Structures are given as structure tokens and as C-alpha cells.
Amino acid sequence: MAEYGGARPAVGDWPSPTTRPPTMRDVAQAAGVSKALVSLVLRNAPGPSARSRTHVLAVAERIGYRPNRTASLLARRHNRHLGVVMALRDAFQAEMAEEVQAAADASGYEIVLSAVTRSRDERRAIETLLEFRCEALLLLGPESPSDELAALTGQAPVVVVGRRMRHPGVAVVRTDDGAGMRAVVEHLIGLGHRRISYVDGGSGAIAADRRGGYEAAMREHGLENEIRTVFGGATESDGVAAAEVLLAQGDLPTAIAAYNDHCALGVLERLARAGVDVPDRVSVTGYDDVPIAGMPHVGLTTVRHEARHQARLAVEAAIRRLEGVSTAARETVLPPRLLVRTSTAPPRHAEARR
């Protein structure tokens, strides 16, 4: 959301009283800020700086803007809309959004979806929902800094789904990602693996929890000298790149635990092109249990979140706050479930002894 930076743009051909009344969009254009910021200022909502408020109000007065009182009253009525932010390319978040829709339908609420894409970041996706006057925000696996997410609570109740976050104004529903990745590593160790590499997921909070689970499990089993983390990411291409790094090093581990299923699928694809058999030569695991992971030709060992349960709890948390039943932030942490499939097996004995 753009804040006023001090330079005053040219007014241009703004509407005059003899044509039509100026609108909020006209104020935004004249002030050189977003319409969302103008809306916050005119509603005296938290967020904008004092300088921005002064500037926007001065511009509104200068061009003759007058708020539509009838529209304002209508806008304040409950519209029973829950705003949902999701990453369009994330199969698990798509599944979660579908479950949120079902839970909202059952409670008499509608959802408004706002997608994060390559050309549309999370901040813009959230702004769109606020512009649509959604009564509460459900953020699926958000990557924005915690302070930015916390600041949203001054505009609407916020429920974060799938990510660890501690703030008195934010409700959280998630699974224990650290425990889930520990279960993955313990499964591999139980099969006899010792040289287990981890393909990381980046710098976000979810990635940090999963990386921490891998490292903790390795240390707990006396394998701290075998900890080996390779830069990766959340997509298939990230998994391909990580597998290329491991192949180039010339000494493949006996098992690879990937940040998520998409990344694991990229690892599988690159290993197949290199003639490395899975799981005979290298075992591979993922995380999230996206639909393709369970296909017989993939058979990816992974960790399942209970999407339906998380969605129901998230919608309930938002509605409780909207209806005044509870205003206290609450963190609900669900246990993950390991699903063992055909992509993991005991290591070759010679490889295991190395």
C-alpha cells in the first residue's frame, strides 16, 4: 500500500462540481496513493501515517470530495464475506481453499479468493480483500513478515493457517511442521539410512520449522556430522536444481528429504534422467501430500496435513471473532501424519556402511 512520499503529482483534469462529484479513486489519483490507503484515511482506520492522513485529507478537501453517507452505512453492515489469500500454484493451498469454502458454506458465510501469483504479491492480494470489505482475513501459508501480518489486525480479524506466528491479535491454525519432518527423518533412520540430505525450502517460517525438524532428528540420533542441507525451494524446478547439485558433488546420499512434495517431484525427475533408481539407490520423501504424490507411479512418502480439519477450525476462529464470541488470539496445533509409500526403502548395505 503506497504511502505519500512528499512529491505532489499534477492534479490533471479532475471532475468539477459542474460534471460529477469526485470519487475516492479521484482522491487516490490526485494524492498519488492507492485507493485502499484513501479508504483507510477517510474511515479513520489504523495503518496510515500521520503525514499520509494529512496529505490525503488535504487533497480530498481541495478537489471537493464528499463521502457518500448512504454507501458508508451500507458498507458497515455485515456482508458475511471471508477473504482468503492463497498461492495459485500451490496444490495444497488449493485443496485448503476448497475446504475453507465448504466450511464457510456450512456456516452461512461466503469466501472471496485473492491469489498470489508470479506477478501479484501477497501484499497486493491482501489489499484487494480489504478493498472488497471482507470482514475477516484467512491467510493460507503466508510468507509476509510477522509485523506486516500483525498490522492487519487493525483492519480486520486475521487467521493465519499453516504457519507458526505469535501475536496477541492473530489466531493461528497449523500442523506441527517440525514434528512432521522429524517423523520423516526417523522413518528413514529406521530403514537404516544414515547419510540423509535435506533440500531446503527457503527463508520463510514454514521452511524454518521443517529444516529445524530435520536437524533436530539427525542430532537426536547422533548424526550431526551427516547433516547436509542443499538450497532448494517450493517448486519442481527448485527440486531439479537441488538434485543437480547433489549429482555434481559425485557422492549421493542414500536418502533425500525434500521441503515439500513439489520439490520432491523435481528431485525424482532429475534422478530418473540421471539413471538413479528410487528407492533402490536413493530414497526420496516429500511433505504436504498433494494429490499426485499418492499416484501409483509416484508413490511418494510424505506427510499429510488434515486440510479439512484445519479449514473448519480456521473458519470457526474467524466467525467467533466476528460474532464477538471470542476476541482472544489462539494457536491450534494439529499433529501431522506420516504416509509411507514406495519412494523409500532400506539402503544398499554397502552404501549404508559408507
Side-chain angles (χ1 to χ4, degrees):
M1 184 181 298
E3 287 271 356
Y4 171 57
R8 175 177 296 177
V11 172
D13 296 323
W14 301 113
S16 67
T18 58
T19 55
R20 64 171 174 79
T23 66
M24 198 179 300
R25 187 179 300 277
D26 294 329
V27 177
Q29 288 181 308
V33 298
S34 69
K35 184 181 173 184
L37 178 61
V38 172
S39 176
L40 293 176
V41 170
L42 297 178
R43 290 187 287 113
N44 198 29
S49 66
R51 189 180 185 191
S52 290
R53 289 183 189 280
T54 300
H55 175 64
V56 169
L57 291 173
V59 170
E61 178 67 24
R62 176 163 53 83
I63 71 172
Y65 173 79
R66 295 291 180 271
N68 184 327
R69 296 301 179 189
T70 302
S72 295
L73 289 173
L74 288 173
R76 290 173 189 170
R77 296 179 183 175
H78 291 303
N79 58 26
R80 301 182 75 81
H81 286 172
L82 305 177
V84 178
V85 173
M86 60 166 287
L88 204 57
R89 292 176 293 162
D90 190 309
F92 176 71
Q93 289 190 26
E95 179 188 359
M96 180 69 71
E98 185 173 356
E99 297 295 349
V100 168
Q101 177 73 71
D105 285 344
S107 300
Y109 280 77
E110 293 288 341
I111 70 168
V112 178
L113 286 175
S114 190
V116 177
T117 67
R118 289 187 183 91
S119 59
R120 191 168 186 268
D121 64 16
E122 194 167 271
R123 183 178 299 179
R124 180 62 192 132
I126 292 170
E127 282 183 6
T128 298
L129 295 177
L130 294 174
E131 289 171 0
F132 273 89
R133 296 186 174 89
C134 291
E135 293 189 88
L137 300 176
L138 279 70
L139 311 179
L140 308 185
E143 295 291 342
S144 297
S146 296
D147 57 348
E148 288 187 16
L149 299 180
L152 296 171
T153 60
Q155 302 173 60
V158 176
V159 181
V160 167
V161 183
R163 165 180 164 176
R164 172 176 47 83
M165 179 178 169
R166 295 192 180 278
H167 183 276
V170 177
V172 174
V173 178
R174 65 181 181 90
T175 55
D176 190 334
D177 284 307
M181 192 56 73
R182 283 197 299 274
V184 166
V185 176
E186 287 168 0
H187 162 66
L188 293 170
I189 292 173
L191 291 174
H193 293 278
R194 295 297 180 269
R195 298 193 302 118
I196 305 167
S197 292
Y198 180 66
V199 179
D200 200 8
S203 59
I206 297 172
D209 282 353
R210 294 181 187 179
R211 181 173 59 253
Y214 159 75
E215 293 174 351
M218 293 290 281
R219 290 191 181 97
E220 287 166 6
H221 289 271
L223 299 174
E224 55 271 8
N225 292 333
E226 300 290 347
I227 292 175
R228 187 179 179 189
T229 300
V230 180
F231 180 80
T235 69
E236 289 85 351
S237 59
D238 293 323
V240 169
E244 287 178 346
V245 170
L246 291 170
L247 287 165
Q249 291 173 350
D251 184 25
L252 282 174
T254 64
I256 300 171
Y259 163 70
N260 70 5
D261 290 344
H262 294 291
C263 184
L265 291 170
V267 171
L268 289 172
E269 193 276 334
R270 186 64 185 89
L271 292 180
R273 283 194 285 118
V276 177
D277 184 78
V278 174
D280 182 55
R281 174 64 181 82
V282 178
S283 289
V284 177
T285 67
Y287 204 111
D288 289 341
D289 192 32
V290 301
I292 194 173
M295 298 293 288
H297 70 285
V298 177
L300 183 63
T301 294
T302 187
V303 175
R304 173 180 292 174
H305 309 271
E306 297 301 331
R308 182 173 300 178
H309 194 190
Q310 285 190 70
R312 180 178 60 79
L313 292 173
V315 170
E316 287 178 357
I319 293 174
R320 279 198 308 269
R321 294 174 69 92
L322 288 173
E323 297 182 349
V325 176
S326 173
T327 57
R330 174 184 174 189
E331 182 183 47
T332 302
V333 183
L334 304 175
R337 182 155 66 99
L338 178 69
L339 299 177
V340 177
R341 297 186 177 122
T342 57
S343 69
T344 53
R348 294 174 177 174
H349 294 300
E351 293 289 337
R353 287 195 299 270
R354 290 178 61 186

